[in-house]
């Protein structure tokens, strides 16, 4: 079917699926209602999350958010076919951001969130990217590495549900919340390439 429909890019495949399955469930996420600490018999403290019910995004909603992310990134200066890095745990926004980058034919390098600082610095510098996507939890770690990441010009971060993210200490780098990128894209003059 992919060949018959002339779906030769990941963007075209996702767009086709979104039109075909429009209002069906695409991605489910759960809100963290609160965190609880539980002391284990060995003395360690285990953090447990109390989660809400699944909130589902339809294929159309996910595709629309990816389009807005794509156009928002263009507003921030991303050019089609640039390479980008995603340095974050997998989550719905991670997948939507990736789909948004596919709309611009961008190459994506992923870096494990559990990698040590030296490994992250090496990986980011090897890709020669200027744009990096990360998450609230990794922002402090990333801030410590900025002196060793001279090419980075733009950082987009996935927000935390309960905490404000500090964007201080990143120098001249544009640091933008994911939701702001989506908002930029809604009013953007750019189309997808």
């Amino acid at each position: 079917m992919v060949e018959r429909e002339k779906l030769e890019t990941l963007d075209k495949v996702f767009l086709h699926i979104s039109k075909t399955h429009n209002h069906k469930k695409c991605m489910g996420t759960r809100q963290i209602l609160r965190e609880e600490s539980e002391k284990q018999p060995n003395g360690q403290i285990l953090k447990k999350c109390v989660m809400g019910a699944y909130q589902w995004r339809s294929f159309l909603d996910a595709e629309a958010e990816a389009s807005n992310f794509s156009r928002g990134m263009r507003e921030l200066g991303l050019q089609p076919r640039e390479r980008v890095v995603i340095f974050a745990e997998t989550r719905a926004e991670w997948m939507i951001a990736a789909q948004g980058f596919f709309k611009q034919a961008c190459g994506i390098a992923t870096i494990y969130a559990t990698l040590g600082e030296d490994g992250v610095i090496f990986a980011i510098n090897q890709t020669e990217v200027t744009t990096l996507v990360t998450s609230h939890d990794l922002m402090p770690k990333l801030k410590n590495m900025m002196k060793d990441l001279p090419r980075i010009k733009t950082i987009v971060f996935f927000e935390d549900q309960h905490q404000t993210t500090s964007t201080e200490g990143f120098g001249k780098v544009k640091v933008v919340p994911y939701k702001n990128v989506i908002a930029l894209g809604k009013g953007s003059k750019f189309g997808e390439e």
Side-chain angles (χ1 to χ4, degrees):
M1 178 160 137
V2 171
E3 290 177 14
R4 182 177 56 222
E5 300 291 334
K6 304 252 189 265
L7 304 176
E8 65 273 351
T9 66
L10 290 171
D11 172 47
K12 288 179 182 178
V13 169
F14 191 64
L15 191 57
H16 175 76
I17 290 168
S18 297
K19 288 177 180 174
T20 304
H21 299 287
N22 51 41
H23 296 292
K24 290 181 182 174
K25 294 175 182 178
C26 175
M27 290 182 198
T29 57
R30 296 170 69 188
Q31 183 177 13
I32 299 171
L33 301 176
R34 66 183 180 278
E35 289 183 359
E36 297 175 349
S37 297
E38 182 180 286
K39 190 170 185 172
Q40 301 298 301
N42 64 4
Q44 288 184 321
I45 304 294
L46 178 66
K47 289 214 182 249
K48 292 176 117 181
C49 294
V50 177
M51 309 293 283
Y54 273 96
Q55 302 290 316
W56 289 94
R57 294 180 196 180
S58 69
F59 279 93
L60 283 180
D61 291 340
E63 207 292 319
E65 190 168 320
S67 290
N68 287 330
F69 181 81
S70 177
R71 289 189 299 271
M73 290 305 300
R74 287 298 308 273
E75 292 289 337
L76 291 174
L78 182 74
Q79 296 300 309
R81 295 172 186 75
E82 277 190 49
R83 290 184 306 270
V84 297
V85 162
I86 300 179
F87 171 51
E89 294 285 349
T90 306
R91 56 193 281 170
E93 294 88 352
W94 191 108
M95 186 58 74
I96 290 170
Q99 290 296 332
F101 288 132
F102 294 151
K103 290 178 174 300
Q104 299 297 333
C106 291
I108 301 171
T110 59
I111 300 175
Y112 290 116
T114 55
L115 199 58
E117 285 189 18
D118 290 341
V120 172
I121 291 167
F122 178 80
I124 292 171
N125 286 331
Q126 283 287 281
T127 63
E128 299 180 349
V129 299
T130 60
T131 301
L132 182 135
V133 176
T134 193
S135 63
H136 162 85
D137 295 342
L138 295 172
M139 289 288 280
K141 184 176 182 177
L142 193 56
K143 184 174 14 178
N144 291 337
M145 295 183 263
M146 288 311 297
K147 67 184 178 318
D148 297 314
L149 302 172
R151 289 186 182 93
I152 299 298
K153 305 276 186 268
T154 305
I155 296 173
V156 174
F157 66 92
F158 306 132
E159 300 91 331
D160 184 81
Q161 293 178 19
H162 301 287
Q163 301 175 36
T164 303
T165 305
S166 172
T167 58
E168 299 295 317
F170 288 89
K172 294 181 181 182
V173 175
K174 284 186 267 186
V175 181
V176 186
Y178 174 83
K179 288 181 182 169
N180 290 19
V181 177
I182 300 298
L184 275 172
K186 286 181 181 177
S188 175
K189 63 185 182 287
F190 290 105
E192 284 103 25
E193 302 303 310

